[in-house]
Amino acid sequence: MAGLLPEMAGDLHVGVARAGLLITVCALGMTIGAPLMAMLTLRLPRRLTLMLTLATFALGHVVVALGSSFALLLGRGS
């Protein structure tokens, strides 16, 4: 993602430093979200957990692909 920052910044009409915030938010989401999701889905069957995770992942990618605002990419809505 870091190699694409200048292009992403241009497409989103923000500075490169501001676009770098996307990397920080992604890293925080992974560090906080992964253990949290592991604890929340501990009692669910593994196959169901995998399917729910994949569906959420795919839906998130569709939303980001169709949206074009910096706030949407940060997960803050519009």
Side-chain angles (χ1 to χ4, degrees):
M1 192 167 155
L4 299 174
L5 278 180
E7 289 82 10
M8 290 173 57
D11 287 347
L12 296 170
H13 308 293
V14 295
V16 175
R18 184 135 171 105
L21 186 59
L22 292 170
I23 295 174
T24 304
V25 169
C26 180
L28 284 173
M30 291 296 188
T31 11
I32 296 168
L36 182 63
M37 290 307 297
M39 287 187 300
L40 291 175
T41 60
L42 192 59
R43 297 185 190 264
L44 292 177
R46 288 184 181 166
R47 188 175 298 256
L48 176 62
T49 301
L50 176 63
M51 296 309 249
L52 290 173
T53 303
L54 288 174
T56 304
F57 186 74
L59 180 65
H61 275 72
V62 168
V63 168
V64 168
L66 295 177
S68 61
S69 75
F70 183 69
L72 177 69
L73 288 178
L74 281 178
R76 296 186 314 186
S78 53

Coordinates of all heavy atoms in Angstrom, one line a residue:
M1 N 0.8 -1.2 0.0 CA 0.0 0.0 0.0 C 0.9 1.3 0.0 O 0.5 2.3 -0.6 CB -0.9 0.0 1.2 CG -2.0 1.0 1.2 SD -3.2 0.6 2.5 CE -3.9 2.1 2.8
A2 N 2.0 1.2 0.6 CA 2.9 2.4 0.7 C 3.3 2.8 -0.6 O 3.5 4.0 -0.9 CB 4.1 2.1 1.6
G3 N 3.6 1.9 -1.5 CA 4.0 2.3 -2.9 C 3.0 3.0 -3.7 O 3.3 3.6 -4.7
L4 N 1.7 2.8 -3.3 CA 0.6 3.4 -4.1 C 0.1 4.7 -3.5 O -0.8 5.3 -4.0 CB -0.6 2.4 -4.1 CG -0.3 1.1 -4.8 CD1 -1.5 0.2 -4.6 CD2 0.0 1.3 -6.2
L5 N 0.8 5.2 -2.4 CA 0.3 6.4 -1.7 C 0.2 7.6 -2.6 O -0.8 8.3 -2.6 CB 1.2 6.7 -0.5 CG 0.8 5.9 0.7 CD1 1.7 6.3 1.9 CD2 -0.6 6.1 1.1
P6 N 1.2 7.9 -3.5 CA 1.0 9.1 -4.3 C -0.2 9.0 -5.3 O -0.9 10.0 -5.4 CB 2.4 9.2 -5.1 CG 3.3 8.4 -4.3 CD 2.5 7.3 -3.6
E7 N -0.4 7.9 -5.8 CA -1.5 7.7 -6.7 C -2.9 7.8 -6.0 O -3.8 8.4 -6.4 CB -1.5 6.4 -7.5 CG -0.4 6.3 -8.6 CD 1.0 6.0 -8.0 OE1 1.1 5.7 -6.8 OE2 2.0 6.2 -8.7
M8 N -2.9 7.2 -4.8 CA -4.1 7.2 -4.0 C -4.4 8.6 -3.5 O -5.5 9.1 -3.5 CB -4.0 6.3 -2.8 CG -4.0 4.8 -3.1 SD -3.6 3.7 -1.8 CE -4.8 4.2 -0.6
A9 N -3.3 9.3 -3.1 CA -3.5 10.7 -2.7 C -4.1 11.6 -3.8 O -5.0 12.4 -3.6 CB -2.2 11.3 -2.2
G10 N -3.6 11.4 -5.0 CA -4.1 12.1 -6.1 C -5.5 11.8 -6.4 O -6.4 12.7 -6.7
D11 N -5.9 10.5 -6.4 CA -7.3 10.1 -6.7 C -8.2 10.6 -5.6 O -9.4 10.9 -5.9 CB -7.4 8.6 -6.8 CG -6.8 8.1 -8.1 OD1 -6.5 8.9 -9.0 OD2 -6.6 6.9 -8.1
L12 N -7.8 10.7 -4.4 CA -8.6 11.1 -3.3 C -8.6 12.6 -3.0 O -9.3 13.1 -2.1 CB -8.2 10.3 -2.0 CG -8.5 8.8 -2.1 CD1 -7.8 8.1 -0.9 CD2 -9.9 8.5 -2.1
H13 N -7.7 13.3 -3.7 CA -7.6 14.7 -3.6 C -7.1 15.1 -2.1 O -7.7 16.1 -1.5 CB -8.8 15.5 -3.9 CG -9.4 15.1 -5.3 ND1 -8.7 15.4 -6.4 CD2 -10.5 14.4 -5.6 CE1 -9.4 14.9 -7.5 NE2 -10.5 14.3 -7.0
V14 N -6.2 14.4 -1.6 CA -5.5 14.7 -0.3 C -4.0 14.6 -0.5 O -3.5 14.1 -1.5 CB -6.0 13.7 0.8 CG1 -7.5 13.8 1.1 CG2 -5.6 12.3 0.5
G15 N -3.3 15.1 0.5 CA -1.9 15.0 0.5 C -1.4 13.6 0.7 O -2.1 12.8 1.3
V16 N -0.1 13.4 0.3 CA 0.5 12.0 0.5 C 0.5 11.7 2.0 O 0.3 10.6 2.4 CB 1.9 12.0 -0.1 CG1 2.5 10.6 0.2 CG2 1.8 12.2 -1.6
A17 N 0.9 12.7 2.9 CA 1.0 12.4 4.3 C -0.4 12.0 4.8 O -0.5 11.1 5.7 CB 1.5 13.6 5.0
R18 N -1.4 12.7 4.4 CA -2.8 12.4 4.8 C -3.2 11.0 4.3 O -3.9 10.3 5.1 CB -3.8 13.5 4.4 CG -5.2 13.3 4.9 CD -5.7 14.6 5.4 NE -7.1 14.5 5.7 CZ -7.6 14.4 6.9 NH1 -6.7 14.5 7.9 NH2 -8.9 14.4 7.1
A19 N -2.9 10.7 3.1 CA -3.2 9.4 2.6 C -2.4 8.3 3.4 O -2.9 7.1 3.5 CB -2.8 9.3 1.1
G20 N -1.3 8.6 3.9 CA -0.5 7.7 4.8 C -1.3 7.3 6.0 O -1.0 6.2 6.6
L21 N -2.3 8.1 6.4 CA -3.1 7.8 7.5 C -3.9 6.5 7.3 O -4.2 5.8 8.3 CB -4.1 8.9 7.8 CG -4.9 8.9 9.0 CD1 -4.1 8.8 10.3 CD2 -5.8 10.1 9.1
L22 N -4.1 6.2 6.0 CA -4.8 4.9 5.7 C -4.0 3.7 6.2 O -4.6 2.7 6.7 CB -5.1 4.8 4.2 CG -6.1 5.8 3.6 CD1 -6.0 5.8 2.1 CD2 -7.4 5.6 4.1
I23 N -2.7 3.8 6.1 CA -1.9 2.6 6.5 C -2.0 2.5 8.1 O -2.1 1.4 8.6 CB -0.4 2.8 6.1 CG1 -0.3 2.8 4.6 CG2 0.5 1.8 6.7 CD1 1.0 3.1 4.0
T24 N -2.0 3.6 8.7 CA -2.1 3.6 10.2 C -3.4 3.0 10.7 O -3.5 2.2 11.6 CB -1.9 5.0 10.8 OG1 -0.7 5.5 10.3 CG2 -2.0 5.0 12.3
V25 N -4.5 3.5 10.0 CA -5.8 3.0 10.4 C -5.9 1.5 10.1 O -6.5 0.7 10.9 CB -6.9 3.8 9.6 CG1 -8.3 3.1 9.8 CG2 -6.9 5.2 10.1
C26 N -5.3 1.0 9.0 CA -5.4 -0.4 8.6 C -4.6 -1.2 9.7 O -5.1 -2.3 10.1 CB -4.7 -0.6 7.3 SG -4.7 -2.3 6.7
A27 N -3.4 -0.7 10.1 CA -2.6 -1.4 11.1 C -3.4 -1.5 12.4 O -3.4 -2.5 13.1 CB -1.3 -0.8 11.2
L28 N -4.0 -0.4 12.8 CA -4.7 -0.4 14.1 C -5.9 -1.3 14.0 O -6.2 -2.0 15.0 CB -5.2 1.1 14.4 CG -4.1 2.0 15.0 CD1 -4.7 3.4 15.1 CD2 -3.6 1.5 16.3
G29 N -6.6 -1.3 12.9 CA -7.7 -2.2 12.7 C -7.3 -3.7 12.9 O -8.0 -4.5 13.5
M30 N -6.2 -4.0 12.3 CA -5.7 -5.4 12.4 C -5.3 -5.7 13.8 O -5.6 -6.8 14.3 CB -4.5 -5.6 11.5 CG -4.9 -5.6 10.0 SD -6.0 -6.9 9.7 CE -6.1 -6.8 7.9
T31 N -4.6 -4.8 14.5 CA -4.1 -5.1 15.8 C -5.2 -5.2 16.9 O -5.1 -6.0 17.8 CB -3.0 -4.1 16.3 OG1 -3.0 -2.9 15.5 CG2 -1.7 -4.6 16.5
I32 N -6.2 -4.4 16.7 CA -7.3 -4.4 17.7 C -8.4 -5.4 17.2 O -8.9 -6.1 18.0 CB -7.9 -3.0 17.8 CG1 -6.8 -2.0 18.4 CG2 -9.2 -3.0 18.6 CD1 -7.2 -0.6 18.4
G33 N -8.6 -5.4 15.9 CA -9.7 -6.2 15.4 C -9.5 -7.7 15.4 O -10.4 -8.5 15.7
A34 N -8.3 -8.1 15.1 CA -8.0 -9.6 15.0 C -8.2 -10.3 16.4 O -9.0 -11.3 16.4 CB -6.6 -9.8 14.5
P35 N -7.6 -9.8 17.5 CA -7.9 -10.5 18.7 C -9.3 -10.4 19.2 O -9.9 -11.3 19.7 CB -6.9 -9.8 19.7 CG -5.9 -9.1 18.9 CD -6.6 -8.8 17.6
L36 N -9.9 -9.3 18.9 CA -11.3 -9.1 19.3 C -12.2 -10.0 18.6 O -13.1 -10.7 19.2 CB -11.7 -7.6 19.0 CG -13.2 -7.2 19.4 CD1 -13.4 -7.4 20.9 CD2 -13.5 -5.8 19.0
M37 N -12.0 -10.2 17.3 CA -12.8 -11.1 16.5 C -12.6 -12.5 16.9 O -13.5 -13.4 16.9 CB -12.6 -10.9 15.0 CG -13.1 -9.6 14.4 SD -14.8 -9.3 14.8 CE -15.6 -10.7 13.9
A38 N -11.3 -12.9 17.2 CA -11.0 -14.2 17.7 C -11.8 -14.5 19.0 O -12.3 -15.6 19.1 CB -9.5 -14.3 17.9
M39 N -11.9 -13.6 19.9 CA -12.6 -13.8 21.1 C -14.1 -13.9 20.9 O -14.8 -14.7 21.5 CB -12.3 -12.7 22.1 CG -10.9 -12.8 22.7 SD -10.6 -11.6 24.0 CE -10.8 -10.1 23.3
L40 N -14.6 -13.0 20.0 CA -16.1 -13.0 19.8 C -16.6 -14.2 19.0 O -17.7 -14.6 19.2 CB -16.4 -11.7 19.0 CG -16.3 -10.4 19.8 CD1 -16.6 -9.3 18.8 CD2 -17.3 -10.4 20.9
T41 N -15.7 -14.9 18.2 CA -16.1 -16.0 17.4 C -15.6 -17.3 18.0 O -15.7 -18.4 17.3 CB -15.7 -15.8 16.0 OG1 -14.3 -15.8 15.9 CG2 -16.3 -14.6 15.4
L42 N -15.1 -17.3 19.2 CA -14.5 -18.5 19.8 C -15.5 -19.7 19.9 O -15.1 -20.8 19.6 CB -14.0 -18.2 21.2 CG -13.1 -19.2 21.8 CD1 -11.8 -19.4 21.0 CD2 -12.7 -18.7 23.2
R43 N -16.7 -19.4 20.1 CA -17.7 -20.5 20.3 C -18.4 -20.9 19.0 O -19.2 -21.9 19.0 CB -18.7 -20.1 21.4 CG -18.1 -19.9 22.7 CD -19.1 -19.7 23.8 NE -18.5 -19.3 25.0 CZ -18.2 -20.2 26.0 NH1 -18.5 -21.4 25.9 NH2 -17.6 -19.7 27.1
L44 N -18.2 -20.2 17.9 CA -18.8 -20.5 16.7 C -18.0 -21.6 16.0 O -16.8 -21.7 16.1 CB -18.8 -19.3 15.7 CG -19.7 -18.1 16.2 CD1 -19.6 -17.0 15.2 CD2 -21.2 -18.5 16.2
P45 N -18.7 -22.4 15.1 CA -18.0 -23.4 14.4 C -16.9 -22.7 13.4 O -17.2 -21.6 12.9 CB -19.0 -24.1 13.5 CG -20.3 -23.8 14.2 CD -20.1 -22.5 14.9
R46 N -15.8 -23.3 13.2 CA -14.8 -22.7 12.4 C -15.2 -22.4 11.0 O -14.8 -21.4 10.4 CB -13.5 -23.6 12.4 CG -12.8 -23.7 13.7 CD -11.6 -24.5 13.6 NE -10.9 -24.5 14.9 CZ -10.0 -25.3 15.2 NH1 -9.6 -26.2 14.4 NH2 -9.5 -25.3 16.4
R47 N -16.0 -23.3 10.4 CA -16.4 -23.1 9.0 C -17.3 -21.9 8.9 O -17.2 -21.0 8.0 CB -17.1 -24.3 8.5 CG -17.5 -24.2 7.0 CD -18.1 -25.5 6.5 NE -17.1 -26.6 6.6 CZ -16.4 -27.1 5.6 NH1 -16.6 -26.7 4.4 NH2 -15.6 -28.2 5.8
L48 N -18.2 -21.7 9.9 CA -19.1 -20.5 9.9 C -18.3 -19.3 10.1 O -18.5 -18.2 9.5 CB -20.2 -20.7 11.0 CG -21.1 -19.5 11.2 CD1 -21.9 -19.3 10.0 CD2 -22.0 -19.7 12.4
T49 N -17.3 -19.3 11.0 CA -16.5 -18.2 11.2 C -15.7 -17.8 10.0 O -15.7 -16.6 9.6 CB -15.5 -18.5 12.4 OG1 -16.2 -18.8 13.6 CG2 -14.6 -17.3 12.6
L50 N -15.2 -18.7 9.3 CA -14.5 -18.5 8.0 C -15.4 -17.8 7.0 O -15.1 -16.9 6.3 CB -13.9 -19.8 7.5 CG -13.2 -19.6 6.1 CD1 -12.0 -18.7 6.2 CD2 -12.8 -21.0 5.6
M51 N -16.6 -18.4 6.8 CA -17.6 -17.9 5.9 C -18.0 -16.4 6.2 O -18.1 -15.6 5.3 CB -18.8 -18.8 5.7 CG -18.4 -20.1 5.2 SD -17.5 -20.1 3.7 CE -18.6 -20.7 2.6
L52 N -18.3 -16.2 7.5 CA -18.6 -14.8 7.9 C -17.5 -13.8 7.7 O -17.7 -12.7 7.2 CB -19.1 -14.8 9.4 CG -20.4 -15.5 9.7 CD1 -20.6 -15.6 11.2 CD2 -21.5 -14.8 9.0
T53 N -16.3 -14.3 8.0 CA -15.1 -13.4 7.8 C -14.9 -13.1 6.3 O -14.7 -11.9 5.9 CB -13.9 -14.1 8.4 OG1 -14.1 -14.3 9.8 CG2 -12.7 -13.2 8.3
L54 N -15.0 -14.1 5.5 CA -14.9 -13.9 4.0 C -15.9 -13.0 3.5 O -15.7 -12.1 2.6 CB -14.8 -15.2 3.3 CG -13.6 -16.0 3.5 CD1 -13.7 -17.4 2.8 CD2 -12.4 -15.3 2.9
A55 N -17.2 -13.2 3.9 CA -18.3 -12.3 3.4 C -18.1 -10.9 3.9 O -18.3 -9.9 3.1 CB -19.6 -12.8 4.0
T56 N -17.6 -10.6 5.1 CA -17.4 -9.3 5.6 C -16.2 -8.7 4.8 O -16.3 -7.5 4.4 CB -17.0 -9.3 7.1 OG1 -18.1 -9.9 7.8 CG2 -16.8 -7.9 7.6
F57 N -15.2 -9.4 4.6 CA -14.0 -9.0 3.8 C -14.4 -8.5 2.4 O -14.1 -7.5 1.9 CB -13.0 -10.1 3.8 CG -11.7 -9.7 3.1 CD1 -10.8 -8.9 3.8 CD2 -11.3 -10.2 1.9 CE1 -9.6 -8.6 3.2 CE2 -10.1 -9.9 1.3 CZ -9.2 -9.1 2.0
A58 N -15.2 -9.4 1.7 CA -15.7 -9.1 0.4 C -16.6 -7.9 0.3 O -16.4 -7.0 -0.5 CB -16.4 -10.3 -0.2
L59 N -17.5 -7.8 1.3 CA -18.4 -6.6 1.3 C -17.6 -5.3 1.6 O -17.9 -4.3 0.9 CB -19.4 -6.8 2.5 CG -20.4 -5.7 2.6 CD1 -21.3 -5.5 1.4 CD2 -21.3 -5.9 3.9
G60 N -16.6 -5.4 2.4 CA -15.8 -4.2 2.7 C -15.1 -3.8 1.4 O -15.0 -2.6 1.1
H61 N -14.6 -4.7 0.6 CA -13.9 -4.4 -0.6 C -14.8 -3.8 -1.6 O -14.4 -2.9 -2.4 CB -13.2 -5.6 -1.2 CG -11.8 -5.8 -0.6 ND1 -11.7 -6.3 0.7 CD2 -10.6 -5.7 -1.1 CE1 -10.4 -6.4 1.0 NE2 -9.7 -6.0 -0.1
V62 N -16.0 -4.3 -1.7 CA -17.0 -3.7 -2.6 C -17.4 -2.3 -2.3 O -17.4 -1.4 -3.1 CB -18.3 -4.6 -2.7 CG1 -19.4 -3.9 -3.4 CG2 -18.0 -6.0 -3.3
V63 N -17.6 -2.0 -1.0 CA -17.9 -0.7 -0.5 C -16.8 0.3 -0.9 O -17.0 1.4 -1.4 CB -18.2 -0.7 1.0 CG1 -18.3 0.7 1.5 CG2 -19.5 -1.4 1.3
V64 N -15.5 -0.1 -0.6 CA -14.4 0.8 -0.9 C -14.2 0.9 -2.4 O -13.9 2.0 -2.8 CB -13.1 0.2 -0.2 CG1 -11.9 0.9 -0.7 CG2 -13.2 0.3 1.3
A65 N -14.4 -0.1 -3.2 CA -14.2 0.0 -4.6 C -15.3 0.9 -5.2 O -15.0 1.7 -6.2 CB -14.3 -1.4 -5.2
L66 N -16.5 0.9 -4.7 CA -17.5 1.8 -5.2 C -17.5 3.2 -4.7 O -18.0 4.1 -5.3 CB -18.9 1.2 -5.0 CG -19.2 -0.2 -5.7 CD1 -20.5 -0.7 -5.3 CD2 -19.1 0.0 -7.2
G67 N -16.9 3.4 -3.5 CA -16.8 4.7 -2.9 C -15.6 5.4 -3.4 O -14.6 4.8 -3.8
S68 N -15.6 6.7 -3.3 CA -14.4 7.4 -3.7 C -14.0 8.5 -2.8 O -13.2 9.4 -3.1 CB -14.6 8.1 -5.1 OG -15.7 9.0 -5.0
S69 N -14.5 8.5 -1.5 CA -14.1 9.5 -0.6 C -13.1 9.0 0.4 O -13.0 7.9 0.8 CB -15.4 10.0 0.2 OG -15.8 9.1 1.1
F70 N -12.3 9.9 0.9 CA -11.2 9.6 1.8 C -11.8 9.2 3.2 O -11.4 8.2 3.8 CB -10.3 10.8 2.0 CG -9.2 10.6 2.9 CD1 -8.1 9.8 2.6 CD2 -9.1 11.2 4.2 CE1 -7.1 9.5 3.4 CE2 -8.0 11.0 5.0 CZ -7.0 10.2 4.6
A71 N -12.9 9.8 3.6 CA -13.6 9.5 4.8 C -14.1 8.1 4.8 O -14.1 7.3 5.8 CB -14.7 10.5 5.1
L72 N -14.6 7.6 3.6 CA -15.2 6.3 3.5 C -14.0 5.3 3.6 O -14.2 4.3 4.3 CB -15.9 6.1 2.1 CG -16.4 4.7 1.9 CD1 -17.6 4.4 2.8 CD2 -16.8 4.6 0.4
L73 N -12.9 5.6 3.1 CA -11.7 4.7 3.2 C -11.2 4.6 4.6 O -10.7 3.5 5.0 CB -10.6 5.1 2.3 CG -10.8 4.9 0.8 CD1 -9.6 5.4 0.0 CD2 -11.0 3.4 0.5
L74 N -11.4 5.6 5.3 CA -11.0 5.6 6.8 C -12.0 4.9 7.6 O -11.7 4.7 8.8 CB -10.7 7.0 7.3 CG -9.4 7.7 6.9 CD1 -9.3 9.1 7.4 CD2 -8.2 6.9 7.4
G75 N -13.2 4.7 7.1 CA -14.2 4.0 7.9 C -15.0 5.0 8.7 O -15.7 4.6 9.7
R76 N -15.0 6.3 8.3 CA -15.7 7.3 9.1 C -17.0 7.7 8.5 O -17.6 8.7 8.8 CB -14.8 8.5 9.3 CG -13.6 8.3 10.0 CD -12.9 9.6 10.3 NE -12.8 10.4 9.1 CZ -12.1 11.5 9.0 NH1 -11.4 12.0 10.0 NH2 -12.0 12.2 7.9
G77 N -17.4 7.0 7.4 CA -18.7 7.4 6.8 C -18.4 8.5 5.8 O -17.3 8.7 5.3
S78 N -19.4 9.3 5.5 CA -19.2 10.4 4.5 C -19.2 11.7 5.1 O -18.9 12.2 6.0 CB -20.3 10.3 3.5 OG -21.5 10.3 4.1

